[in-house]
Structures are given as structure tokens and as C-alpha cells.
Amino acid sequence: MDFSAEITLALVAGLVTGFIGESQEINTSINCALVLLASNNGADSLALAKNALRKDAINPFKGIRK
């Protein structure tokens, strides 16, 4: 992966993490740490989120049945 793609992935992962943290009202210091972790491993973070979304898309009623 080239440098510009890696920078873009890190930026997107950091922004998404920051937005989710703010919307969930997570403590600011914890949110900053999460943004640093997500942006440091941008490609890995987005791949993990994509896989989680795929699993939920395959089984949208997950958690309804006991």
C-alpha cells in the first residue's frame, strides 16, 4: 500500500473513532487514546469494522433469539 493510501486510511479511522467517541460521550482522554490507537493501525481498524458490519449484515437479527 502506498503512503497516501495509508495516510488516508489512518485519517478516516481516526475521524470515525473520534466521532463515535464523542457521540457516545466517552471521556475525552480515553477518546484521544482510542483515536491514536485507531489511526496508528488504520488499515487494520477499518478491516475489523468492515468484517463486523458484514457479520451483522448477514445476520441482522443477531441477539434477538436467546
PDB file of all heavy atoms in Angstrom, residues 29-60:
ATOM      1  N   SER A  29     -10.095  11.977  27.476  1.00  0.00           N
ATOM      2  CA  SER A  29      -8.765  11.361  27.479  1.00  0.00           C
ATOM      3  C   SER A  29      -8.808   9.945  26.907  1.00  0.00           C
ATOM      4  O   SER A  29      -7.899   9.534  26.188  1.00  0.00           O
ATOM      5  CB  SER A  29      -8.176  11.360  28.885  1.00  0.00           C
ATOM      6  OG  SER A  29      -9.027  10.659  29.768  1.00  0.00           O
ATOM      7  N   ILE A  30      -9.855   9.207  27.208  1.00  0.00           N
ATOM      8  CA  ILE A  30      -9.998   7.853  26.659  1.00  0.00           C
ATOM      9  C   ILE A  30     -10.250   7.935  25.160  1.00  0.00           C
ATOM     10  O   ILE A  30      -9.701   7.146  24.379  1.00  0.00           O
ATOM     11  CB  ILE A  30     -11.127   7.091  27.374  1.00  0.00           C
ATOM     12  CG1 ILE A  30     -10.748   6.857  28.835  1.00  0.00           C
ATOM     13  CG2 ILE A  30     -11.438   5.778  26.680  1.00  0.00           C
ATOM     14  CD1 ILE A  30     -11.848   6.267  29.673  1.00  0.00           C
ATOM     15  N   ASN A  31     -11.058   8.902  24.748  1.00  0.00           N
ATOM     16  CA  ASN A  31     -11.342   9.079  23.330  1.00  0.00           C
ATOM     17  C   ASN A  31     -10.068   9.416  22.560  1.00  0.00           C
ATOM     18  O   ASN A  31      -9.852   8.907  21.463  1.00  0.00           O
ATOM     19  CB  ASN A  31     -12.406  10.151  23.134  1.00  0.00           C
ATOM     20  CG  ASN A  31     -13.026  10.115  21.768  1.00  0.00           C
ATOM     21  OD1 ASN A  31     -12.944   9.129  21.066  1.00  0.00           O
ATOM     22  ND2 ASN A  31     -13.637  11.213  21.390  1.00  0.00           N
ATOM     23  N   CYS A  32      -9.221  10.255  23.118  1.00  0.00           N
ATOM     24  CA  CYS A  32      -7.948  10.596  22.465  1.00  0.00           C
ATOM     25  C   CYS A  32      -7.068   9.357  22.311  1.00  0.00           C
ATOM     26  O   CYS A  32      -6.445   9.157  21.268  1.00  0.00           O
ATOM     27  CB  CYS A  32      -7.211  11.668  23.249  1.00  0.00           C
ATOM     28  SG  CYS A  32      -7.965  13.286  23.124  1.00  0.00           S
ATOM     29  N   ALA A  33      -7.020   8.531  23.347  1.00  0.00           N
ATOM     30  CA  ALA A  33      -6.228   7.298  23.271  1.00  0.00           C
ATOM     31  C   ALA A  33      -6.787   6.355  22.212  1.00  0.00           C
ATOM     32  O   ALA A  33      -6.025   5.733  21.457  1.00  0.00           O
ATOM     33  CB  ALA A  33      -6.210   6.611  24.636  1.00  0.00           C
ATOM     34  N   LEU A  34      -8.106   6.260  22.124  1.00  0.00           N
ATOM     35  CA  LEU A  34      -8.715   5.400  21.106  1.00  0.00           C
ATOM     36  C   LEU A  34      -8.449   5.910  19.693  1.00  0.00           C
ATOM     37  O   LEU A  34      -8.199   5.113  18.781  1.00  0.00           O
ATOM     38  CB  LEU A  34     -10.224   5.293  21.354  1.00  0.00           C
ATOM     39  CG  LEU A  34     -10.647   4.518  22.595  1.00  0.00           C
ATOM     40  CD1 LEU A  34     -12.150   4.619  22.805  1.00  0.00           C
ATOM     41  CD2 LEU A  34     -10.220   3.071  22.490  1.00  0.00           C
ATOM     42  N   VAL A  35      -8.472   7.233  19.526  1.00  0.00           N
ATOM     43  CA  VAL A  35      -8.164   7.815  18.211  1.00  0.00           C
ATOM     44  C   VAL A  35      -6.722   7.512  17.834  1.00  0.00           C
ATOM     45  O   VAL A  35      -6.433   7.141  16.687  1.00  0.00           O
ATOM     46  CB  VAL A  35      -8.436   9.333  18.199  1.00  0.00           C
ATOM     47  CG1 VAL A  35      -7.838   9.993  16.973  1.00  0.00           C
ATOM     48  CG2 VAL A  35      -9.928   9.600  18.264  1.00  0.00           C
ATOM     49  N   LEU A  36      -5.805   7.628  18.771  1.00  0.00           N
ATOM     50  CA  LEU A  36      -4.400   7.314  18.481  1.00  0.00           C
ATOM     51  C   LEU A  36      -4.222   5.853  18.104  1.00  0.00           C
ATOM     52  O   LEU A  36      -3.497   5.522  17.161  1.00  0.00           O
ATOM     53  CB  LEU A  36      -3.521   7.652  19.687  1.00  0.00           C
ATOM     54  CG  LEU A  36      -3.248   9.125  19.911  1.00  0.00           C
ATOM     55  CD1 LEU A  36      -2.506   9.319  21.226  1.00  0.00           C
ATOM     56  CD2 LEU A  36      -2.460   9.701  18.759  1.00  0.00           C
ATOM     57  N   LEU A  37      -4.878   4.961  18.824  1.00  0.00           N
ATOM     58  CA  LEU A  37      -4.767   3.535  18.505  1.00  0.00           C
ATOM     59  C   LEU A  37      -5.377   3.215  17.146  1.00  0.00           C
ATOM     60  O   LEU A  37      -4.810   2.452  16.367  1.00  0.00           O
ATOM     61  CB  LEU A  37      -5.457   2.698  19.586  1.00  0.00           C
ATOM     62  CG  LEU A  37      -4.743   2.620  20.929  1.00  0.00           C
ATOM     63  CD1 LEU A  37      -5.618   1.913  21.954  1.00  0.00           C
ATOM     64  CD2 LEU A  37      -3.416   1.906  20.769  1.00  0.00           C
ATOM     65  N   ALA A  38      -6.537   3.784  16.867  1.00  0.00           N
ATOM     66  CA  ALA A  38      -7.198   3.502  15.595  1.00  0.00           C
ATOM     67  C   ALA A  38      -6.423   4.070  14.417  1.00  0.00           C
ATOM     68  O   ALA A  38      -6.284   3.422  13.382  1.00  0.00           O
ATOM     69  CB  ALA A  38      -8.613   4.059  15.608  1.00  0.00           C
ATOM     70  N   SER A  39      -5.905   5.285  14.563  1.00  0.00           N
ATOM     71  CA  SER A  39      -5.196   5.899  13.441  1.00  0.00           C
ATOM     72  C   SER A  39      -3.810   5.284  13.244  1.00  0.00           C
ATOM     73  O   SER A  39      -3.287   5.290  12.130  1.00  0.00           O
ATOM     74  CB  SER A  39      -5.083   7.404  13.634  1.00  0.00           C
ATOM     75  OG  SER A  39      -4.347   7.706  14.783  1.00  0.00           O
ATOM     76  N   ASN A  40      -3.226   4.732  14.300  1.00  0.00           N
ATOM     77  CA  ASN A  40      -1.931   4.077  14.164  1.00  0.00           C
ATOM     78  C   ASN A  40      -2.046   2.810  13.320  1.00  0.00           C
ATOM     79  O   ASN A  40      -1.143   2.470  12.580  1.00  0.00           O
ATOM     80  CB  ASN A  40      -1.361   3.749  15.544  1.00  0.00           C
ATOM     81  CG  ASN A  40       0.064   3.280  15.461  1.00  0.00           C
ATOM     82  OD1 ASN A  40       0.797   3.684  14.582  1.00  0.00           O
ATOM     83  ND2 ASN A  40       0.451   2.415  16.375  1.00  0.00           N
ATOM     84  N   ASN A  41      -3.152   2.117  13.444  1.00  0.00           N
ATOM     85  CA  ASN A  41      -3.395   0.895  12.676  1.00  0.00           C
ATOM     86  C   ASN A  41      -4.618   1.111  11.789  1.00  0.00           C
ATOM     87  O   ASN A  41      -5.592   0.383  11.890  1.00  0.00           O
ATOM     88  CB  ASN A  41      -3.625  -0.286  13.611  1.00  0.00           C
ATOM     89  CG  ASN A  41      -2.455  -0.534  14.516  1.00  0.00           C
ATOM     90  OD1 ASN A  41      -1.326  -0.470  14.066  1.00  0.00           O
ATOM     91  ND2 ASN A  41      -2.704  -0.788  15.783  1.00  0.00           N
ATOM     92  N   GLY A  42      -4.559   2.106  10.923  1.00  0.00           N
ATOM     93  CA  GLY A  42      -5.711   2.494  10.120  1.00  0.00           C
ATOM     94  C   GLY A  42      -6.302   1.374   9.295  1.00  0.00           C
ATOM     95  O   GLY A  42      -7.506   1.124   9.323  1.00  0.00           O
ATOM     96  N   ALA A  43      -5.479   0.670   8.536  1.00  0.00           N
ATOM     97  CA  ALA A  43      -5.978  -0.390   7.671  1.00  0.00           C
ATOM     98  C   ALA A  43      -6.570  -1.528   8.489  1.00  0.00           C
ATOM     99  O   ALA A  43      -7.620  -2.076   8.143  1.00  0.00           O
ATOM    100  CB  ALA A  43      -4.860  -0.904   6.773  1.00  0.00           C
ATOM    101  N   ASP A  44      -5.907  -1.894   9.580  1.00  0.00           N
ATOM    102  CA  ASP A  44      -6.410  -2.973  10.430  1.00  0.00           C
ATOM    103  C   ASP A  44      -7.727  -2.593  11.098  1.00  0.00           C
ATOM    104  O   ASP A  44      -8.631  -3.415  11.207  1.00  0.00           O
ATOM    105  CB  ASP A  44      -5.386  -3.341  11.503  1.00  0.00           C
ATOM    106  CG  ASP A  44      -4.100  -3.886  10.916  1.00  0.00           C
ATOM    107  OD1 ASP A  44      -4.153  -4.425   9.789  1.00  0.00           O
ATOM    108  OD2 ASP A  44      -3.061  -3.768  11.579  1.00  0.00           O
ATOM    109  N   SER A  45      -7.831  -1.347  11.541  1.00  0.00           N
ATOM    110  CA  SER A  45      -9.056  -0.887  12.205  1.00  0.00           C
ATOM    111  C   SER A  45     -10.239  -0.895  11.247  1.00  0.00           C
ATOM    112  O   SER A  45     -11.333  -1.332  11.598  1.00  0.00           O
ATOM    113  CB  SER A  45      -8.870   0.517  12.760  1.00  0.00           C
ATOM    114  OG  SER A  45      -7.830   0.547  13.697  1.00  0.00           O
ATOM    115  N   LEU A  46     -10.024  -0.414  10.023  1.00  0.00           N
ATOM    116  CA  LEU A  46     -11.115  -0.396   9.058  1.00  0.00           C
ATOM    117  C   LEU A  46     -11.491  -1.797   8.600  1.00  0.00           C
ATOM    118  O   LEU A  46     -12.668  -2.086   8.373  1.00  0.00           O
ATOM    119  CB  LEU A  46     -10.754   0.481   7.866  1.00  0.00           C
ATOM    120  CG  LEU A  46     -10.681   1.971   8.167  1.00  0.00           C
ATOM    121  CD1 LEU A  46     -10.251   2.738   6.931  1.00  0.00           C
ATOM    122  CD2 LEU A  46     -12.004   2.485   8.671  1.00  0.00           C
ATOM    123  N   ALA A  47     -10.518  -2.700   8.487  1.00  0.00           N
ATOM    124  CA  ALA A  47     -10.825  -4.085   8.120  1.00  0.00           C
ATOM    125  C   ALA A  47     -11.641  -4.760   9.217  1.00  0.00           C
ATOM    126  O   ALA A  47     -12.586  -5.507   8.929  1.00  0.00           O
ATOM    127  CB  ALA A  47      -9.535  -4.863   7.862  1.00  0.00           C
ATOM    128  N   LEU A  48     -11.311  -4.492  10.473  1.00  0.00           N
ATOM    129  CA  LEU A  48     -12.066  -5.055  11.590  1.00  0.00           C
ATOM    130  C   LEU A  48     -13.496  -4.534  11.594  1.00  0.00           C
ATOM    131  O   LEU A  48     -14.446  -5.303  11.767  1.00  0.00           O
ATOM    132  CB  LEU A  48     -11.376  -4.705  12.914  1.00  0.00           C
ATOM    133  CG  LEU A  48     -12.015  -5.233  14.178  1.00  0.00           C
ATOM    134  CD1 LEU A  48     -11.883  -6.747  14.230  1.00  0.00           C
ATOM    135  CD2 LEU A  48     -11.363  -4.601  15.383  1.00  0.00           C
ATOM    136  N   ALA A  49     -13.677  -3.246  11.348  1.00  0.00           N
ATOM    137  CA  ALA A  49     -15.022  -2.659  11.297  1.00  0.00           C
ATOM    138  C   ALA A  49     -15.810  -3.215  10.115  1.00  0.00           C
ATOM    139  O   ALA A  49     -17.003  -3.508  10.231  1.00  0.00           O
ATOM    140  CB  ALA A  49     -14.929  -1.142  11.209  1.00  0.00           C
ATOM    141  N   LYS A  50     -15.142  -3.387   8.979  1.00  0.00           N
ATOM    142  CA  LYS A  50     -15.823  -3.916   7.800  1.00  0.00           C
ATOM    143  C   LYS A  50     -16.288  -5.348   8.037  1.00  0.00           C
ATOM    144  O   LYS A  50     -17.402  -5.717   7.673  1.00  0.00           O
ATOM    145  CB  LYS A  50     -14.889  -3.875   6.596  1.00  0.00           C
ATOM    146  CG  LYS A  50     -15.585  -4.187   5.288  1.00  0.00           C
ATOM    147  CD  LYS A  50     -14.623  -4.327   4.114  1.00  0.00           C
ATOM    148  CE  LYS A  50     -13.721  -3.165   3.932  1.00  0.00           C
ATOM    149  NZ  LYS A  50     -12.855  -3.292   2.744  1.00  0.00           N
ATOM    150  N   ASN A  51     -15.452  -6.158   8.677  1.00  0.00           N
ATOM    151  CA  ASN A  51     -15.843  -7.535   8.977  1.00  0.00           C
ATOM    152  C   ASN A  51     -16.999  -7.577   9.967  1.00  0.00           C
ATOM    153  O   ASN A  51     -17.892  -8.414   9.839  1.00  0.00           O
ATOM    154  CB  ASN A  51     -14.650  -8.323   9.521  1.00  0.00           C
ATOM    155  CG  ASN A  51     -13.644  -8.635   8.449  1.00  0.00           C
ATOM    156  OD1 ASN A  51     -13.974  -8.662   7.265  1.00  0.00           O
ATOM    157  ND2 ASN A  51     -12.409  -8.860   8.858  1.00  0.00           N
ATOM    158  N   ALA A  52     -17.005  -6.689  10.937  1.00  0.00           N
ATOM    159  CA  ALA A  52     -18.102  -6.647  11.907  1.00  0.00           C
ATOM    160  C   ALA A  52     -19.404  -6.248  11.225  1.00  0.00           C
ATOM    161  O   ALA A  52     -20.460  -6.807  11.522  1.00  0.00           O
ATOM    162  CB  ALA A  52     -17.771  -5.679  13.040  1.00  0.00           C
ATOM    163  N   LEU A  53     -19.331  -5.304  10.304  1.00  0.00           N
ATOM    164  CA  LEU A  53     -20.530  -4.888   9.575  1.00  0.00           C
ATOM    165  C   LEU A  53     -21.044  -6.001   8.671  1.00  0.00           C
ATOM    166  O   LEU A  53     -22.245  -6.193   8.536  1.00  0.00           O
ATOM    167  CB  LEU A  53     -20.256  -3.629   8.763  1.00  0.00           C
ATOM    168  CG  LEU A  53     -20.083  -2.352   9.577  1.00  0.00           C
ATOM    169  CD1 LEU A  53     -19.679  -1.207   8.666  1.00  0.00           C
ATOM    170  CD2 LEU A  53     -21.358  -2.016  10.316  1.00  0.00           C
ATOM    171  N   ARG A  54     -20.140  -6.743   8.062  1.00  0.00           N
ATOM    172  CA  ARG A  54     -20.554  -7.856   7.199  1.00  0.00           C
ATOM    173  C   ARG A  54     -21.272  -8.922   8.007  1.00  0.00           C
ATOM    174  O   ARG A  54     -22.264  -9.467   7.562  1.00  0.00           O
ATOM    175  CB  ARG A  54     -19.353  -8.471   6.508  1.00  0.00           C
ATOM    176  CG  ARG A  54     -18.875  -7.709   5.332  1.00  0.00           C
ATOM    177  CD  ARG A  54     -17.819  -8.474   4.604  1.00  0.00           C
ATOM    178  NE  ARG A  54     -17.193  -7.626   3.615  1.00  0.00           N
ATOM    179  CZ  ARG A  54     -15.974  -7.794   3.174  1.00  0.00           C
ATOM    180  NH1 ARG A  54     -15.240  -8.785   3.632  1.00  0.00           N
ATOM    181  NH2 ARG A  54     -15.480  -6.988   2.276  1.00  0.00           N
ATOM    182  N   LYS A  55     -20.763  -9.238   9.179  1.00  0.00           N
ATOM    183  CA  LYS A  55     -21.393 -10.259  10.012  1.00  0.00           C
ATOM    184  C   LYS A  55     -22.787  -9.820  10.437  1.00  0.00           C
ATOM    185  O   LYS A  55     -23.714 -10.613  10.459  1.00  0.00           O
ATOM    186  CB  LYS A  55     -20.536 -10.556  11.235  1.00  0.00           C
ATOM    187  CG  LYS A  55     -19.276 -11.301  10.893  1.00  0.00           C
ATOM    188  CD  LYS A  55     -18.431 -11.546  12.106  1.00  0.00           C
ATOM    189  CE  LYS A  55     -17.127 -12.211  11.716  1.00  0.00           C
ATOM    190  NZ  LYS A  55     -16.226 -12.364  12.842  1.00  0.00           N
ATOM    191  N   ASP A  56     -22.950  -8.529  10.764  1.00  0.00           N
ATOM    192  CA  ASP A  56     -24.269  -8.024  11.133  1.00  0.00           C
ATOM    193  C   ASP A  56     -25.191  -7.976   9.919  1.00  0.00           C
ATOM    194  O   ASP A  56     -26.393  -8.185  10.053  1.00  0.00           O
ATOM    195  CB  ASP A  56     -24.167  -6.634  11.758  1.00  0.00           C
ATOM    196  CG  ASP A  56     -23.594  -6.695  13.168  1.00  0.00           C
ATOM    197  OD1 ASP A  56     -23.614  -7.784  13.760  1.00  0.00           O
ATOM    198  OD2 ASP A  56     -23.129  -5.654  13.650  1.00  0.00           O
ATOM    199  N   ALA A  57     -24.636  -7.698   8.744  1.00  0.00           N
ATOM    200  CA  ALA A  57     -25.464  -7.644   7.543  1.00  0.00           C
ATOM    201  C   ALA A  57     -25.949  -9.039   7.157  1.00  0.00           C
ATOM    202  O   ALA A  57     -27.058  -9.206   6.674  1.00  0.00           O
ATOM    203  CB  ALA A  57     -24.675  -7.024   6.393  1.00  0.00           C
ATOM    204  N   ILE A  58     -25.118 -10.040   7.415  1.00  0.00           N
ATOM    205  CA  ILE A  58     -25.514 -11.408   7.102  1.00  0.00           C
ATOM    206  C   ILE A  58     -26.617 -11.865   8.045  1.00  0.00           C
ATOM    207  O   ILE A  58     -27.567 -12.511   7.643  1.00  0.00           O
ATOM    208  CB  ILE A  58     -24.290 -12.350   7.196  1.00  0.00           C
ATOM    209  CG1 ILE A  58     -23.321 -12.025   6.056  1.00  0.00           C
ATOM    210  CG2 ILE A  58     -24.712 -13.800   7.143  1.00  0.00           C
ATOM    211  CD1 ILE A  58     -21.996 -12.728   6.167  1.00  0.00           C
ATOM    212  N   ASN A  59     -26.520 -11.513   9.311  1.00  0.00           N
ATOM    213  CA  ASN A  59     -27.487 -11.940  10.307  1.00  0.00           C
ATOM    214  C   ASN A  59     -28.022 -10.705  11.049  1.00  0.00           C
ATOM    215  O   ASN A  59     -27.564 -10.394  12.140  1.00  0.00           O
ATOM    216  CB  ASN A  59     -26.862 -12.926  11.286  1.00  0.00           C
ATOM    217  CG  ASN A  59     -27.873 -13.551  12.212  1.00  0.00           C
ATOM    218  OD1 ASN A  59     -29.065 -13.318  12.082  1.00  0.00           O
ATOM    219  ND2 ASN A  59     -27.400 -14.338  13.151  1.00  0.00           N
ATOM    220  N   PRO A  60     -28.988  -9.972  10.454  1.00  0.00           N
ATOM    221  CA  PRO A  60     -29.458  -8.732  11.089  1.00  0.00           C
ATOM    222  C   PRO A  60     -30.228  -8.954  12.374  1.00  0.00           C
ATOM    223  O   PRO A  60     -30.410  -8.034  13.158  1.00  0.00           O
ATOM    224  CB  PRO A  60     -30.344  -8.105  10.014  1.00  0.00           C
ATOM    225  CG  PRO A  60     -30.786  -9.243   9.185  1.00  0.00           C
ATOM    226  CD  PRO A  60     -29.662 -10.245   9.210  1.00  0.00           C
TER     227      PRO A  60
END
